């Protein structure tokens, strides 16, 4: 009797799991998928651009595998996805399994992007053009960034996994500095004005919206 009861429980659990709706696939356009217990910054951007705000002075860090993420600033970005790259083998992949290259403002326009050759690898994002640049170079720098994304939980991870190039998204969370137990550190940029090494944002992602 006990054996048949256990078999029934296993079968019922499997049927429930197979029939459970995928929260990402079932989410309508514009819906926000949010991590449980992950506080959002007070200020959030609308459907284009970035918004950075002060982190509360008494805000605790976020626990990661063998590390913690210290919040440096609240952060919200609404942008077009230029490219994505997944990582598995570098040290950073323990925390941020993917990077998104994002663009906002005039840089997300088709006419501008058609004149740029965009690539992404090695935790960097690069663009090139022939002849005259489609926008002033300083505007290109201010209007795009490569972002290292740390999902706050499995719901956010699934939402990030579902993002592809050309999607329009909003990401809300925190710019952080990761401190590992062995002394290794990884610090986010705190400005959109920089480029090159150290210019990427390290974002602890609390919520994802696809438009």
């Amino acid at each position: 009797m006990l054996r048949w009861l256990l078999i029934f429980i296993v079968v019922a659990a499997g049927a429930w799991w197979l029939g459970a709706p995928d929260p990402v696939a079932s989410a309508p356009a514009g819906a926000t998928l949010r991590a449980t217990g992950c506080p959002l910054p007070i200020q959030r951007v609308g459907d284009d651009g970035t918004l950075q705000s002060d982190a509360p002075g008494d805000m605790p860090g976020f626990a990661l595998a063998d590390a913690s993420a210290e919040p440096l600033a609240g952060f919200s970005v609404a942008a077009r996805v230029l490219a994505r790259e997944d990582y598995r083998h570098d040290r950073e992949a323990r925390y941020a399994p993917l990077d998104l290259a994002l663009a906002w403002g005039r840089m997300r326009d088709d006419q501008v992007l058609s004149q740029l050759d965009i690539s992404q690898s090695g935790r960097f994002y690069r663009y090139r053009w022939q002849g005259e640049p489609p926008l002033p170079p300083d505007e290109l720098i201010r209007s795009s960034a490569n972002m290292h994304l740390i999902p706050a939980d499995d719901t956010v991870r699934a939402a990030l996994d579902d993002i592809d190039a050309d999607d329009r998204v909003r990401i809300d969370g925190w710019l952080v500095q990761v401190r590992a137990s062995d002394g290794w550190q990884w610090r986010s940029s705190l400005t959109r004005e920089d480029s090159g090494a150290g210019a990427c944002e390290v974002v602890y992602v609390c919520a994802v919206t696809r438009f």
Side-chain angles (χ1 to χ4, degrees), residues 50-52 75 104 141-145 147 175 188-194 201:
T50 67
L51 185 60
Q52 184 172 312
F75 186 66
W104 50 90
I141 292 172
R142 293 195 308 269
S143 302
S144 67
M147 302 195 182
L175 300 179
S188 176
S189 168
L190 295 177
T191 176
R192 314 292 87 74
E193 303 283 343
D194 52 2
E201 285 70 24

Side-chain angles (χ1 to χ4, degrees), residues 19-115:
D22 181 345
V24 176
S26 60
T32 297
L33 295 174
R34 179 178 174 183
T36 302
C38 188
L40 296 177
I42 295 175
Q43 302 180 66
R44 286 181 285 166
V45 78
D47 61 1
D48 183 48
T50 67
L51 185 60
Q52 184 172 312
S53 55
D54 294 337
D58 58 351
M59 187 174 182
F62 303 104
L64 305 174
D66 74 1
S68 65
E70 172 193 350
L72 304 175
F75 186 66
S76 182
V77 54
R80 179 176 181 173
V81 180
L82 303 182
R84 70 168 287 159
E85 186 72 20
D86 296 274
Y87 295 91
R88 293 184 178 87
H89 305 299
D90 61 359
R91 174 68 183 265
E92 294 83 355
R94 300 185 192 182
Y95 318 110
L98 80 156
D99 287 3
L100 291 182
L102 300 173
W104 50 90
R106 293 199 294 168
M107 192 169 171
R108 69 177 186 172
D109 294 346
D110 288 337
Q111 184 177 2
V112 172
L113 294 178
S114 67
Q115 300 177 64

Side-chain angles (χ1 to χ4, degrees), residues 101-200:
L102 300 173
W104 50 90
R106 293 199 294 168
M107 192 169 171
R108 69 177 186 172
D109 294 346
D110 288 337
Q111 184 177 2
V112 172
L113 294 178
S114 67
Q115 300 177 64
L116 295 174
D117 179 22
I118 293 170
S119 62
Q120 192 182 26
S121 64
R123 296 288 180 177
F124 285 91
Y125 132 76
R126 305 168 182 85
Y127 50 81
R128 298 182 300 173
W129 61 83
Q130 298 288 335
E132 293 295 318
L135 294 174
D138 60 340
E139 184 176 354
L140 292 173
I141 292 172
R142 293 195 308 269
S143 302
S144 67
N146 186 62
M147 302 195 182
H148 314 308
L149 304 181
I150 303 173
D153 68 3
D154 288 341
T155 296
V156 169
R157 180 187 290 267
L160 292 174
D161 284 345
D162 203 45
I163 292 174
D164 294 314
D166 288 329
D167 284 350
R168 306 294 178 103
V169 300
R170 191 182 76 207
I171 293 170
D172 301 303
W174 302 88
L175 300 179
V176 297
Q177 177 166 328
V178 178
R179 300 179 186 271
S181 56
D182 63 0
W184 181 86
Q185 299 185 29
W186 194 23
R187 184 180 177 86
S188 176
S189 168
L190 295 177
T191 176
R192 314 292 87 74
E193 303 283 343
D194 52 2
S195 62
C200 296

